[in-house]
Amino acid sequence: MLNFRSTTFIKSAREKNERPKKELLEIVFVGRSNVGKSSLINALCDNKSLCYTSSKPGHTRLLNYFEIKDTIFLVDAPGYGYSKAGGRNDELFAHMMEDYFTDNKYLTLIIFLMDSRRKVRDEEIELLKLFEEENLPCVIVFTKADKLNQSEKAEAIKEVNKLTLNRNLDVLFASINNNKSIEELKNYISYHI
Ligand SMILES: Nc1nc2c(ncn2[C@@H]2O[C@H](COP(=O)(O)OP(=O)(O)OP(=O)(O)O)[C@@H](O)[C@H]2O)c(=O)[nH]1
Ligand SMILES: [Mg+2]
């Protein structure tokens, strides 16, 4: 199992060329703004002050690199879709992510976070398509699972299967308020890198 507790913040970057110099592979956490990327990293690392979280969307604006000591980088990506009208921030995000996912030789696993209580957005469909085209390893994690009942979970899986017809992606549920789900995700990540 990866030693998530040894994680420290290394740096923020606007593009992957500004990544830390150390030759470690990386796992990225992607998803719409407010889906819970930063909170999930904190939960995995058992450190509430590692990533800044906020109930206001749009908090994370850069690629933030965290290092599991001498093992791998965890990358907290900015979320998309927080400016209601789309606009400049979404363009910036699209540009940043396109650069990030293109020819990234360090990228070993994408943790794609979705909030199943929200309608699937075009950006999410686009990203899943891109991952498929580029054959990038990806797992879907539904966040805030504490807010879902069993039938809502089943519905979420059905929806996501529609989106990923050509590719069977693994699907997990996680809640920062449920230790078991956090342990499961830690195990999953440890065995899939
Ligand atoms: N109930 C519940 N709330 C959660 C969970 N995870 C995150 N949240 C809440 O969701 C809000 C957004 O969390 P963040 O982790 O800041 O979201 P983010 O995806 O990093 O957002 P951006 O940085 O804006 O892209 C916060 O108010 C969190 O407390 C969860 O598992 N359950
Ligand atoms: Mg964030």
Side-chain angles (χ1 to χ4, degrees), residues 31-40 52-60 76-79 143-147 174-177:
R32 65 192 291 167
S33 200
N34 206 242
V35 72
K37 300 173 292 296
S38 303
S39 305
L40 190 60
Y52 297 113
T53 64
S54 167
S55 55
K56 271 193 273 154
H59 204 80
T60 309
D76 186 14
T143 56
K144 310 188 187 181
D146 47 290
K147 301 199 170 192
S175 162
I176 58 170
N177 303 316

Side-chain angles (χ1 to χ4, degrees), residues 4-122:
F4 284 91
R5 283 198 174 184
S6 70
T7 307
T8 51
F9 173 71
I10 305 296
K11 72 178 289 193
S12 299
R14 274 164 304 186
E15 52 180 276
K16 67 175 180 306
N17 283 344
E18 290 177 4
R19 82 188 290 281
K21 293 281 171 282
K22 209 160 169 175
E23 288 284 321
L24 296 178
L25 294 175
E26 61 201 46
I27 300 169
V28 69
F29 293 74
V30 209
R32 65 192 291 167
S33 200
N34 206 242
V35 72
K37 300 173 292 296
S38 303
S39 305
L40 190 60
I41 294 177
N42 286 348
L44 291 169
C45 300
D46 196 20
N47 181 350
K48 284 205 173 80
S49 49
L50 199 57
C51 303
Y52 297 113
T53 64
S54 167
S55 55
K56 271 193 273 154
H59 204 80
T60 309
R61 307 269 172 112
L62 296 164
L63 298 160
N64 291 311
Y65 286 80
F66 299 87
E67 179 185 334
I68 298 186
K69 198 171 186 304
D70 298 327
T71 314
I72 205 158
F73 289 119
L74 303 177
V75 183
D76 186 14
Y80 44 86
Y82 66 89
S83 56
K84 269 193 204 126
R88 195 174 142 69
N89 286 322
D90 279 1
E91 262 172 52
L92 277 176
F93 170 83
H95 184 74
M96 212 168 178
M97 289 293 104
E98 195 183 305
D99 165 76
Y100 181 81
F101 289 116
T102 311
D103 298 328
N104 188 338
K105 64 174 177 169
Y106 297 104
L107 182 56
T108 184
L109 181 64
I110 299 165
I111 316 270
F112 190 69
L113 274 57
M114 294 178 87
D115 183 339
S116 56
R117 295 166 311 150
R118 293 176 182 257
K119 208 170 155 286
V120 177
R121 294 177 63 106
D122 288 347

